[in-house]
Amino acid sequence: MKKIPIGKAFTLIESGPVVFITTRDGKKSNIMTISWTMVMDFTPLFAITTGPWNHSYAALKKTRECVIAIPTVDLIDTVVGVGTCSGADTDKFERFGLTPLKGRRVRAPLIRECLANIECKVIDIVRKHNIIVLEGVAAYFDNDRKEKRALHAVGDGTFIVDGRRLDRRKAMRAKIPPGAWSGR
């Protein structure tokens, strides 16, 4: 076996799929890309990792609700674009041509172009580890959508779809941690 730097160990078990998290702070809606997600049980409990460095975090804390929207491989460049700009100065729905849909149980919008959407309530914030625990309260799946393959982030600017690696490191250069660039 080849030894790799311990700082890259997270790329070996990076969770997936990559998702959008939508929020609404009372005035405007926002979208962020998140690859650090986790199913917590056989119930609709989920966790995401985010914190004050993300613009959407304030809305999550204030409203205690969001939507997990699951994009597919055809949206890879939108996923990267949403994840590399800030909602503080960008209307991401408009910039990336995404369609917000009204939720039934939360004020945060669903995203029409995504394969699935899960309306969620924040039930815990574990500040020490920047973990937001979510409870799904409504879920939707687009059976009519032709593309159904989700993206899985590796954590180095590449994504895995059906065992194939798609490289977006150049577009994500500002977001990739130092040392994650070299190959395994």
Side-chain angles (χ1 to χ4, degrees):
M1 288 191 158
K2 178 185 170 192
K3 184 176 178 172
I4 67 167
I6 192 64
K8 289 184 68 174
F10 76 93
T11 67
L12 300 173
I13 58 172
E14 179 78 40
S15 60
V18 176
V19 301
F20 289 133
I21 300 293
T22 69
T23 56
R24 181 154 184 88
D25 66 7
K27 296 177 187 158
K28 78 178 226 183
S29 298
N30 192 39
I31 314 167
M32 67 176 159
T33 299
I34 295 260
S35 63
W36 295 326
T37 61
M38 180 174 77
V39 174
M40 296 185 63
D41 200 345
F42 290 102
T43 61
L45 292 181
F46 310 97
I48 61 173
T49 301
T50 189
W53 60 87
N54 276 328
H55 177 69
S56 293
Y57 182 72
L60 277 168
K61 273 181 52 178
K62 176 183 170 186
T63 66
R64 299 190 70 82
E65 60 183 34
C66 66
V67 169
I68 300 171
I70 304 171
T72 49
V73 65
D74 56 318
L75 294 173
I76 187 170
D77 292 321
T78 301
V79 165
V80 171
V82 165
T84 56
C85 68
S86 174
D89 55 17
T90 305
D91 178 337
K92 295 183 189 184
F93 280 97
E94 183 178 315
R95 179 171 177 182
F96 296 101
L98 296 171
T99 310
L101 299 175
K102 185 174 173 51
R104 293 188 178 136
R105 304 278 307 270
V106 301
R107 290 178 298 277
L110 286 68
I111 300 176
R112 177 186 302 274
E113 291 76 13
C114 286
L115 178 63
N117 287 269
I118 306 167
E119 295 183 54
C120 297
K121 299 282 187 177
V122 174
I123 60 171
D124 196 8
I125 298 176
V126 185
R127 284 180 175 79
K128 180 177 180 182
H129 299 289
N130 299 308
I131 295 171
I132 312 288
V133 181
L134 306 169
E135 179 178 24
V137 294
Y140 313 92
F141 188 87
D142 186 352
N143 282 313
D144 295 330
R145 199 166 199 297
K146 286 187 178 193
E147 182 59 71
K148 291 185 171 54
R149 295 174 300 155
L151 296 162
H152 294 266
V154 175
D156 64 355
T158 63
F159 298 83
I160 303 293
V161 177
D162 293 340
R164 224 177 81 221
R165 188 177 293 251
L166 305 175
D167 190 337
R168 293 301 188 270
R169 287 179 288 196
K170 193 172 189 178
M172 294 181 63
R173 183 175 291 275
K175 293 284 187 172
I176 298 173
W181 278 90
S182 59
R184 286 205 228 8

